[in-house]
Amino acid sequence: MARDAMDLQGNLSSKMLWQVIASVSAWKPKDVVDKELQKVRLQLLDVLSVYKKPTNATTAKFKTGQSGKTNSEEASCTQFVLKLSEVLDLDAAQCNDLLSLYLLYEYRGSQDEFKNILSDERHSRILLVEIWHYYHNERLYLLRCLKHLLSYCSDTSHPYHSSYQKCIAELTNDKNKFILSVVDQYETACLATLPGASSSEADLVEKLGFQWMVYNLKEQLESLQIVLLYYREKDMTPEMFLRLLSLFKKQGFSRRQINRHLLDQSVEPFVKALAHMQVVLLLKAIDLEWLFQCQQQDSEPKDYYLLASEDVWKKANNSMGTLGEVREHGAVLLAWALVHHVTQGAKGAITSRKLGNMALQCDVFEYVHDLLTSPLLSGKMVVAAYAKSVVYSLVQVLLECFHEESLGNMDTLFSIGCEVFKIPGIAHNMWEVGLDRGAGLLLTSASQLFPLDGRPALNLCAALASASPFSAGKVVSYLHSMTGFSEYLELIPSSGLEDCAEAAKLLQAARYPYQTESFVIPGRTLGVCFNAAHGTGIRWQCDVNGWQVCLCEVHAMLAQTAGWLGEPCVETVLAVGRVVHSVLQSDRGRVDDLSDLTEMLIDLLQRLSQISHPPLKLLAECLQVAADVASVYPAQVWEKVSQSGLLPTAEVGEDALQQIIRGSSSRQSALDGIIVGFEGQSGDYSVTLGFLELLKHTAPALCELHASKHRPSLLASLVFMMREVFGSFHKWRYVDSNQRQQIGLRCLEIFHKILSLDGEAESVVQKACVEGLLFSDAGSTLLSVVAVGADEVQLALEQQTSWTEGTGVELIHLVRLGLSVLNRLLLLKPTSRTASPVELALCTQPPNKQQLHVTATIVQYIYHRYDARLPTLAALLLKRVAVVFPMSLLACLGNSAVAIRDVYVTRLQFSAEDIRLKIAILELLSTCVETQPGLTELFLNLSENEPGKNKGFTLGKFSCLHAVVDIIQTNKQKWPAELQRAAVEYIAALWIGRNDTAMNVLRERKSFWLDLSSCLFMDSVADNVRTCAFVMRIIAAELYNVQSYDKLDKELYEVLKSLIKADRLSFWSKFLQRNTDGMEQEGRTADLCPLLLLTAWRELLLILAQEECLQLPESMKVSLLTQVLDAVRAQLLGDRESTVLKILSEIVLRLVVRWSRHPSCRRAVIAKFGGILHELRVNAGLLHPRIQLNLLATMATIINDAERQREAGKKQQFVDMMSDVCALLQYNMRHGDSSDIFTKLKTVNICLLKKLITFVDEMSDAWVSALQEHAILPALLAVAAHGMTRHETVEQVQAIMELFLSLCSNTRAASSLAVSGLTEQLCLPLITCYSHADHLQEVVISAVIHTRYSELLHWTKKIYILVFQFEVRAYVLLVR
């Protein structure tokens, strides 16, 4: 049977290897990359020859190895592997390994389902096809690994540069063995025939013929790219040149494929890409760069490598002489013509001219332009950039050898220049070589026509400016200091000209070519006449500011009053817009330098929007320029564009938001007409993309600036985008299918930026975005983006000619953004609103039973392995769904639940997997512990032990706990802190959720508590704050559940003893004391780490304070109390953060309640509490009442214990606190409201005052003075009277009466009461306390005599008795 998939974790498939070394979504640790490269070095050296063909011997050996397996399932698996070997034409042992890797990385079923598939003929054939595809993709990925290594091995800025360089050096140290192997395999692929055609599954293989040919073409293409990248740094031998030339000729430059009968038109892009690579490779082989250097040095080219042997030169000439039949030959013939021109001198002129003419007959320049704009070479890959550098070398030599005017129509050459100049290295080289040599002559030649035909020069400048900020700066300088101005001679009156010489004219007086005096050609300027496209032109030889000319061209268009605009004028202004856009794209710092031109281009929007048939490309370019400027000045740009009439507007009423969202208040705009009337018909949506780019730069920025005056227009545009663009863009017809992805991406980028604004930013726009996406058609579009599915994404990737650029990569980006937007949407949706259509689609079954549930589609993104960010975002969205909706995710998965569980767990256990994906999976599982019990049990995969064994549970093979335990183990490799945090958080969720079975299994794991608590013993904990917090919560929960020493796990007991012995409790207490300042502000950006730690510390400390499982030394108790009190004092003196102070004050109260029986603890609290009470008094108005309540209750507890212990020596400290207690009571009486919390606070404050008075009774002078100073007694009388009148706040009134009773024991205090309006305040309210008069007298007298308050049945009786007692005592005292 196939080797166990879980046992192959250390073996990477080629696809996984490529993802590790390429780090598509995130950089892997360098040591991981080094380790994997070292493992596969021999495999990379052999390339595709690592896959061996089957022989009778190897097949017999495999059968012998499997003969001992008599199990029916293993036997059927063996038969399946043998059948697979026939179909793939691959060694049986390798097929066995291939099957195992497939089951590990690609299989979408459970193990039980796999067994059923093998027993069913029809299903086994389907599996056979899937593995067939997997095998051919593995071959391709192996080639891609080599291509990636060669692409970046010489890039010193790449993070893995040294690793790649070392690997390539090891592969190529054996002379030419490596490259010969690659070329051999390319030739083998060219000559290959359909494998497996004679097998027992011949009918199945025949059906796969077309797909096999596609894979074959891809292998050829990847092999040629590897050869090209290899020779980027190495010199090609003459023999290799001749061999490649012969190969390409035999294949007809990819047109004469041996298996062409298997192809159709759908593979034409691959055939063209293959031909393009063959042409580029031959151009590289000719070494055009050497020819250019040789031409510059003007020396005899004796060292040209193809001249080293007469035989080689002759063979090369003979082969080249047979070319010229197809377009692909043109570039090679032109390059060979240049070889003859440079190396042969005059004797090669005839051959050079002949080859050049043949190249021109093959439309060489048109073909080269097509080559540069092909999907494979138009991107930013290293291969594409290097291919453009090869073409650049061709242009360099061509223009160095021949005058550009002798090459015919220059438009195509200018277009070629525009393509190659976009590469930063090429642009830099062009400026370095200069404008009078090589490719720089293109710009020089194009500038000769400026501005008569300004498009070539401006387009070349736009391409150069887009290359880099350096090149953009050179373009700005070049246009600023041009030399010459061209125009048609017929525009100048003959009287203003003076003949100087042949084809030369002298300008008599100053000339103003434009209807403005801002630009002038000085008088007596010499001009040279030339033949132009539509007549005779003249070029004035004077210094010209090209930017000023551009400004005049745009101004000329603005000045036109007619509705129709001339095409030359439009094309020129369009080229101006491209230059400005390219400069600003490369360097935003140039916005102010080009402010005059950008303002005029933005003003042009109003002019264009008024035309019935506006030039759409120009309109789109102006919007792009506006977007560039808006990235720096959003408010100013938005105001100008809003006034142009192009954008939607809205009438704002009382219910403006709802009106705008429904679209009822929006007016018809020019943009709406353009999209519907023009772009929808043409299938080109450049204006729409420009509008979206503008909105992307302005909407979030205006929200953050709180620009309320722009809110109506911004809302109107946003809702227009949601309803009219995003809601229906997927239904439009497109000429360029890439625009569909671009529109979706930009819409989602806008949504994401708005939904990611913090609470202080503009909330109205965010609310409109939330409402629109939830309750309009835009929500359905968002769901359709999210529900594209992993299969559709994989199909799009396979259709690309490149695996790093193309529609598949853009689709991944689109889905990723959709998942992120939907996640934010669910987070921000108001809880008061009813369920939206989007939410209903997520939590209900689809009407069509054949349709996959949206949530199930999101879950299945875990099968996607190209970009780990996609399954990561899907897991984060599922986490949100699990919290928001009361639904069962397990039910959404249906029969595929087990298979999906297996993939999640496999990726969680995979050592080289993206860390962020692992974290997202663990966070999802942590959330599901509380909200998704079914899914939690599925991932735990616990099974009860068999009868006869110990009672309990064991972990299944696909239990997530295997990975969790592995992550927290201290003796394994060092995992990132965030991953450890996520694993510990999951364990904490199990403990807090009381999942007893999982808890028991983990407790039984050896060293579990040691591994878990290891972070608590670290000295550097900055990166592990959240981890430590969760560990504390776990330990606290365990101690709370156990609550006795006998039941406590012995290992945990030892951990706790170690914490005490190493004084780690004091360490953490001091750590929190140092980090309480700024805790809440830091929490907003650091995911509440310090605050989480503080709450976890509270739980652990309060559990330990109960001392049911472990005794703490008294010295440690004193130390902990002192540190917490110091933290409270520091907070009162510092930030006074409410949440932090509430937690700290609660800790103080609970610890004092537990530990105040110890004299040393009481002394520590009393010593610190005077300062705390003083700061409490000073900051009373700034603190939450709960903080005061906890601290005052703490003081009351200390006094109670001091009374019980009869500690008379400390009374002076309590007397010193009297003034602060009275001041606090005075403030709370005046400013406190009638809420429960304030009522409790005042009651506790009164009780504390009473206890203080009772405790220091003999020091009456001090406390009576404090009462009088703060007018406490009148205030309390008023409160008591109010309470008795309304029969409210019985506890508070009771506390007041008891306080008054205690005051009656002191003559001076009683006198103060008497003069404070005692009788006036209480007599009338006391009448309301009479009830049941017949029985009341004896109850009152009994209560007065025996003080049995518990016997009273009604609170009014209690109050009445207290007042009666108080009156009796006061009267007796006063009579004395």
Side-chain angles (χ1 to χ4, degrees), residues 28-296:
K28 304 288 190 300
K30 186 174 179 296
D31 57 337
V32 173
V33 175
D34 290 336
K35 179 181 177 182
E36 298 302 334
L37 286 177
Q38 189 60 33
K39 281 184 185 178
V40 298
R41 187 178 64 84
L42 295 177
Q43 185 179 347
L44 292 174
L45 180 62
D46 292 337
V47 201
L48 295 182
S49 61
V50 71
Y51 296 106
K52 306 297 182 181
K53 290 186 176 296
T55 63
N56 293 333
T58 57
T59 303
K61 181 179 178 181
F62 174 76
K63 290 180 178 179
T64 302
Q66 302 295 316
S67 60
K69 301 177 180 179
T70 57
N71 186 293
S72 60
E73 295 173 358
E74 295 175 340
S76 60
C77 186
T78 301
Q79 291 302 316
F80 181 80
V81 170
L82 292 173
K83 186 182 297 184
L84 188 63
S85 176
E86 290 183 30
V87 172
L88 298 180
D89 196 21
L90 182 66
D91 180 76
Q94 288 187 319
C95 285
N96 192 46
D97 290 342
L98 184 73
L99 175 60
S100 300
L101 290 172
Y102 170 80
L103 294 176
L104 177 61
Y105 295 117
E106 299 291 332
Y107 179 58
R108 297 194 180 186
S110 64
Q111 288 186 324
D112 292 336
E113 290 173 341
F114 175 68
K115 295 173 185 177
N116 295 332
I117 287 173
L118 293 181
S119 61
D120 185 281
E121 178 68 22
R122 183 170 59 89
H123 289 157
S124 65
R125 285 171 67 91
I126 296 174
L127 180 62
L128 205 63
V129 172
E130 291 178 357
I131 299 176
W132 184 90
H133 284 287
Y134 176 70
Y135 165 66
H136 287 286
N137 275 316
E138 281 291 283
R139 294 169 62 94
L140 285 174
Y141 272 111
L142 184 58
L143 293 172
R144 289 182 187 121
C145 289
L146 273 173
K147 183 175 73 174
H148 184 81
L149 294 173
L150 287 166
S151 296
Y152 297 102
C153 65
S154 58
D155 183 1
T156 56
S157 64
H158 197 279
Y160 305 146
H161 163 252
S162 59
S163 302
Y164 293 172
Q165 191 176 48
K166 179 182 177 182
C167 181
I168 292 299
E170 291 176 351
L171 294 177
T172 58
N173 61 1
D174 189 5
K175 294 184 179 180
N176 296 321
K177 180 180 177 181
F178 170 75
I179 193 61
L180 288 173
S181 175
V182 175
V183 175
D184 286 343
Q185 288 167 38
Y186 167 73
E187 189 171 3
T188 301
C190 294
L191 300 174
T193 56
L194 182 62
S198 59
S199 67
S200 58
E201 300 288 342
D203 59 330
L204 180 63
V205 171
E206 186 177 352
K207 293 177 182 178
L208 296 171
F210 170 76
Q211 297 175 53
W212 172 81
M213 193 57 205
V214 173
Y215 283 120
N216 182 269
L217 290 175
K218 289 181 178 180
E219 284 185 17
Q220 293 181 44
L221 188 58
E222 295 291 336
S223 299
L224 289 183
Q225 292 179 68
I226 290 171
V227 174
L228 177 65
L229 291 170
Y230 175 84
Y231 283 116
R232 182 176 55 158
E233 302 294 336
K234 298 191 179 288
D235 296 328
M236 185 179 291
T237 62
E239 293 76 17
M240 180 60 72
F241 170 73
L242 293 175
R243 181 181 179 185
L244 291 176
L245 179 59
S246 175
L247 275 174
F248 299 160
K249 283 178 58 182
K250 288 179 181 177
Q251 205 182 25
F253 282 79
S254 82
R255 294 294 174 181
R256 291 199 294 268
Q257 296 286 337
I258 289 181
N259 302 286
R260 58 184 176 274
H261 62 282
L262 298 174
L263 301 177
D264 60 21
Q265 288 298 317
S266 63
V267 299
E268 186 64 19
F270 293 104
V271 175
K272 285 185 176 180
L274 193 56
H276 292 159
M277 284 308 305
Q278 292 173 348
V279 170
V280 171
L281 190 52
L282 289 178
L283 293 179
K284 165 58 185 170
I286 291 173
D287 203 354
L288 296 162
E289 186 176 353
W290 188 91
L291 294 177
F292 178 67
Q293 293 173 356
C294 178
Q295 187 73 2
Q296 280 187 311

Side-chain angles (χ1 to χ4, degrees), residues 870-1161:
L870 183 55
T872 301
L873 288 168
L876 292 176
L877 177 58
L878 291 171
K879 173 185 170 184
R880 178 69 51 198
V881 170
V883 173
V884 173
F885 301 125
M887 55 178 284
S888 172
L889 288 177
L890 187 60
C892 296
L893 302 181
N895 296 331
S896 61
V898 175
I900 290 175
R901 186 273 315 275
D902 293 350
V903 180
Y904 268 91
V905 172
T906 300
R907 299 197 71 168
L908 188 60
Q909 292 178 330
F910 182 42
S911 58
E913 189 58 79
D914 186 83
I915 297 299
R916 291 177 300 180
L917 175 58
K918 291 187 173 187
I919 293 171
I921 293 173
L922 288 170
E923 289 178 348
L924 170 63
L925 296 179
S926 300
T927 303
C928 290
V929 169
E930 180 181 357
T931 61
Q932 304 289 332
L935 200 64
T936 299
E937 293 302 318
L938 178 70
F939 274 86
L940 288 174
N941 193 21
L942 300 174
S943 57
E944 194 169 0
N945 289 335
E946 297 178 2
K949 294 184 179 180
N950 294 332
K951 290 185 178 180
F953 293 82
T954 55
L955 297 180
K957 181 185 293 186
F958 289 97
S959 172
C960 62
L961 292 181
H962 289 299
V964 171
V965 171
D966 180 72
I967 291 169
I968 67 171
Q969 282 182 350
T970 55
N971 60 345
K972 291 289 185 73
Q973 59 176 309
K974 178 67 176 176
W975 291 106
E978 274 297 296
L979 181 59
Q980 291 182 329
R981 186 270 311 162
V984 173
E985 183 179 2
Y986 177 61
I987 297 174
L990 294 174
W991 248 260
I992 295 169
R994 293 299 302 271
N995 195 307
D996 292 333
T997 53
M999 291 163 60
N1000 290 331
V1001 169
L1002 288 174
R1003 288 190 191 107
E1004 294 170 0
R1005 304 283 294 196
K1006 185 178 180 181
S1007 302
F1008 168 71
W1009 290 109
L1010 287 173
D1011 292 333
L1012 182 66
S1013 60
S1014 61
C1015 60
L1016 297 181
F1017 294 90
M1018 296 178 181
D1019 292 328
S1020 178
V1021 295
D1023 297 332
N1024 297 280
V1025 173
R1026 284 176 63 85
T1027 306
C1028 294
F1030 286 119
V1031 171
M1032 291 178 186
R1033 296 189 71 181
I1034 294 169
I1035 295 176
E1038 180 71 5
L1039 293 175
Y1040 178 80
N1041 294 335
V1042 173
Q1043 293 188 344
S1044 70
Y1045 170 78
D1046 296 336
K1047 298 179 181 178
L1048 183 65
D1049 188 277
K1050 302 308 176 187
E1051 186 179 297
L1052 177 58
Y1053 178 74
E1054 293 299 324
V1055 168
L1056 293 174
K1057 284 178 60 178
S1058 300
L1059 284 173
I1060 296 172
K1061 185 177 180 180
D1063 203 22
R1064 298 303 295 180
L1065 296 179
S1066 295
F1067 169 84
W1068 283 106
S1069 183
K1070 292 174 183 177
F1071 177 82
L1072 284 165
Q1073 184 182 348
R1074 293 193 305 268
N1075 291 276
T1076 49
D1077 292 339
M1079 187 172 285
E1080 291 184 28
Q1081 286 80 1
E1082 185 181 354
R1084 280 196 291 268
T1085 58
D1087 202 14
L1088 302 176
C1089 288
L1091 202 56
L1092 178 66
L1093 181 63
L1094 181 60
T1095 55
W1097 170 247
R1098 174 188 60 187
E1099 295 174 13
L1100 178 61
L1101 193 58
L1102 297 183
I1103 287 292
L1104 289 174
Q1106 295 180 6
E1107 300 183 297
E1108 294 177 345
C1109 299
L1110 196 70
Q1111 296 291 324
L1112 298 179
E1114 188 169 337
S1115 59
M1116 180 172 288
K1117 296 176 184 177
V1118 174
S1119 175
L1120 292 173
L1121 262 175
T1122 303
Q1123 289 159 4
V1124 177
L1125 288 168
D1126 287 341
V1128 172
R1129 179 78 186 279
Q1131 275 291 310
L1132 290 172
L1133 290 170
D1135 295 336
R1136 297 180 294 275
E1137 295 172 354
S1138 177
T1139 306
V1140 176
L1141 267 172
K1142 279 193 286 186
I1143 296 173
L1144 289 174
S1145 62
E1146 181 187 351
I1147 293 175
V1148 170
L1149 175 59
R1150 300 280 292 276
L1151 291 182
V1152 166
V1153 169
R1154 288 286 179 183
W1155 294 344
S1156 62
R1157 66 181 182 272
H1158 301 293
S1160 57
C1161 292

Side-chain angles (χ1 to χ4, degrees), residues 1294-1306:
Q1294 180 182 348
I1296 293 172
M1297 292 299 103
E1298 291 178 351
L1299 172 62
F1300 288 168
L1301 277 173
S1302 64
L1303 293 177
C1304 289
S1305 61
N1306 184 280

Side-chain angles (χ1 to χ4, degrees), residues 1203-1227:
E1203 283 181 335
R1204 284 196 296 269
Q1205 301 296 328
R1206 298 179 181 179
E1207 294 181 354
K1210 301 293 182 181
K1211 289 190 176 183
Q1212 183 57 48
Q1213 291 177 298
F1214 290 107
V1215 171
D1216 295 340
M1217 299 178 193
M1218 183 66 73
S1219 178
D1220 291 325
V1221 174
C1222 290
L1224 281 169
L1225 181 57
Q1226 180 189 35
Y1227 179 86

